[in-house]
Coordinates of all heavy atoms in Angstrom, one line a residue:
N889 N 26.0 7.5 12.2 CA 27.4 7.9 12.1 C 27.6 9.4 12.2 O 28.5 9.9 12.9 CB 27.9 7.4 10.7 CG 29.4 7.7 10.6 OD1 30.2 7.1 11.3 ND2 29.7 8.5 9.6
D890 N 26.8 10.2 11.5 CA 27.0 11.6 11.4 C 26.4 12.3 12.6 O 26.9 13.4 13.0 CB 26.3 12.2 10.1 CG 27.0 11.7 8.9 OD1 28.1 11.1 9.0 OD2 26.5 11.9 7.8
Y891 N 25.4 11.8 13.3 CA 24.8 12.3 14.5 C 25.0 11.4 15.6 O 26.1 11.3 16.2 CB 23.4 12.7 14.2 CG 23.2 13.6 13.0 CD1 22.4 13.2 11.9 CD2 23.7 14.9 13.0 CE1 22.3 14.0 10.8 CE2 23.5 15.7 11.9 CZ 22.8 15.2 10.8 OH 22.6 16.0 9.7
K892 N 24.0 10.6 15.9 CA 24.1 9.6 16.9 C 22.9 8.6 16.7 O 21.9 8.9 16.1 CB 24.1 10.1 18.3 CG 23.0 11.1 18.7 CD 23.2 11.8 20.0 CE 22.3 13.0 20.1 NZ 22.8 14.1 20.7
Y893 N 23.1 7.4 17.3 CA 22.0 6.4 17.0 C 20.7 6.8 17.5 O 19.6 6.5 16.9 CB 22.4 5.0 17.7 CG 21.5 3.9 17.2 CD1 21.5 3.4 15.9 CD2 20.6 3.4 18.1 CE1 20.7 2.4 15.5 CE2 19.7 2.4 17.7 CZ 19.8 1.9 16.4 OH 18.9 0.9 16.0
E894 N 20.6 7.7 18.5 CA 19.4 8.2 19.0 C 18.6 8.9 17.9 O 17.4 9.1 18.0 CB 19.8 9.1 20.1 CG 18.7 9.8 20.9 CD 19.3 10.6 22.0 OE1 20.0 10.1 22.8 OE2 18.9 11.8 22.1
D895 N 19.3 9.4 16.8 CA 18.6 10.2 15.8 C 18.2 9.4 14.6 O 17.7 10.0 13.6 CB 19.6 11.3 15.3 CG 19.9 12.3 16.4 OD1 19.0 12.5 17.3 OD2 21.0 12.8 16.4
V896 N 18.3 8.1 14.6 CA 18.0 7.3 13.4 C 16.5 7.4 12.9 O 16.3 7.3 11.7 CB 18.4 5.8 13.4 CG1 19.9 5.7 13.6 CG2 17.7 5.1 14.5
F897 N 15.6 7.6 13.8 CA 14.2 7.7 13.5 C 13.8 9.1 13.3 O 13.1 9.5 12.4 CB 13.3 6.9 14.4 CG 13.6 5.4 14.5 CD1 13.8 4.8 15.8 CD2 13.9 4.7 13.4 CE1 14.1 3.5 15.9 CE2 14.2 3.3 13.5 CZ 14.3 2.7 14.7
V898 N 14.2 10.0 14.3 CA 13.8 11.4 14.2 C 14.3 12.0 12.9 O 13.6 12.9 12.3 CB 14.1 12.2 15.5 CG1 15.6 12.4 15.6 CG2 13.4 13.5 15.6
G899 N 15.5 11.7 12.5 CA 16.1 12.2 11.3 C 15.2 11.9 10.1 O 15.1 12.7 9.2
Q900 N 14.7 10.7 10.0 CA 13.8 10.3 8.9 C 12.4 11.0 9.0 O 11.9 11.4 8.0 CB 13.7 8.8 8.9 CG 15.0 8.1 8.5 CD 14.8 6.6 8.5 OE1 14.2 6.0 7.5 NE2 15.2 5.9 9.5
L901 N 11.9 11.1 10.3 CA 10.6 11.7 10.5 C 10.7 13.2 10.0 O 9.7 13.7 9.5 CB 10.2 11.7 11.9 CG 9.7 10.4 12.4 CD1 9.3 10.5 13.9 CD2 8.4 9.9 11.7
Q902 N 11.8 13.8 10.2 CA 12.0 15.2 9.8 C 11.8 15.4 8.2 O 11.4 16.4 7.8 CB 13.3 15.8 10.2 CG 13.3 16.0 11.7 CD 14.8 16.2 12.3 OE1 15.8 16.1 11.6 NE2 14.8 16.7 13.5
N903 N 12.2 14.3 7.5 CA 12.0 14.3 6.1 C 10.6 13.9 5.6 O 10.0 14.4 4.7 CB 13.0 13.4 5.4 CG 14.4 14.0 5.3 OD1 15.0 14.3 6.3 ND2 14.8 14.3 4.1
Y904 N 10.1 12.8 6.3 CA 8.9 12.2 5.8 C 7.6 12.6 6.6 O 6.5 12.6 6.0 CB 9.0 10.6 5.9 CG 10.0 10.0 5.1 CD1 11.0 9.1 5.7 CD2 10.1 10.2 3.7 CE1 11.9 8.5 4.9 CE2 11.1 9.6 3.0 CZ 12.0 8.8 3.6 OH 13.0 8.2 2.8
G905 N 7.7 12.9 7.9 CA 6.6 13.1 8.7 C 5.9 14.5 8.5 O 6.6 15.5 8.4
R906 N 4.6 14.5 8.4 CA 3.9 15.7 8.3 C 2.7 15.7 9.3 O 2.2 14.6 9.6 CB 3.3 15.9 6.9 CG 4.3 16.0 5.8 CD 5.2 17.3 5.8 NE 6.2 17.3 4.8 CZ 7.5 17.0 5.1 NH1 7.9 16.6 6.2 NH2 8.4 17.1 4.1
S907 N 2.3 16.8 9.7 CA 1.1 16.9 10.6 C 0.0 16.1 10.1 O -0.4 16.1 8.9 CB 0.7 18.4 10.7 OG -0.4 18.5 11.7
G908 N -0.6 15.3 11.0 CA -1.7 14.4 10.6 C -1.3 13.0 10.3 O -2.1 12.1 10.3
D909 N 0.0 12.8 10.0 CA 0.5 11.4 9.8 C 0.5 10.7 11.1 O 0.3 11.2 12.1 CB 2.0 11.5 9.2 CG 2.0 12.0 7.8 OD1 1.0 12.0 7.1 OD2 3.2 12.3 7.3
V910 N 0.8 9.4 11.0 CA 0.8 8.5 12.2 C 2.2 8.0 12.4 O 2.8 7.4 11.5 CB -0.2 7.3 12.0 CG1 -0.1 6.4 13.3 CG2 -1.6 7.8 11.8
A911 N 2.7 8.2 13.6 CA 4.0 7.7 14.0 C 3.8 6.5 15.0 O 3.2 6.8 16.1 CB 4.9 8.7 14.7
L912 N 4.1 5.3 14.7 CA 3.8 4.2 15.5 C 5.1 3.5 15.9 O 5.9 3.0 15.0 CB 2.9 3.2 14.8 CG 2.3 2.0 15.6 CD1 1.1 1.5 14.9 CD2 3.3 0.9 15.8
A913 N 5.4 3.5 17.2 CA 6.7 3.0 17.7 C 6.4 1.8 18.6 O 5.5 1.8 19.3 CB 7.4 4.1 18.5
M914 N 7.3 0.8 18.5 CA 7.2 -0.4 19.3 C 8.5 -0.6 20.1 O 9.6 -0.5 19.5 CB 7.0 -1.6 18.4 CG 5.7 -1.7 17.7 SD 5.6 -3.2 16.7 CE 5.6 -2.5 15.0

C-alpha cells in the first residue's frame, strides 16, 4: 500500500536479512 507490491519481500529483507543469511525464492 505505502510503496508497491514489488516491495513486499525486499522491504522485509531490509529489516530481517543480514549478510550470510539465506534468501530462498520460489
Side-chain angles (χ1 to χ4, degrees):
N889 183 66
D890 296 349
Y891 306 116
K892 51 191 164 215
Y893 189 69
E894 183 177 306
D895 295 332
V896 296
F897 302 133
V898 72
Q900 294 180 74
L901 284 177
Q902 290 168 347
N903 283 65
Y904 298 127
R906 299 292 177 262
S907 183
D909 289 344
V910 178
L912 190 156
M914 293 181 249

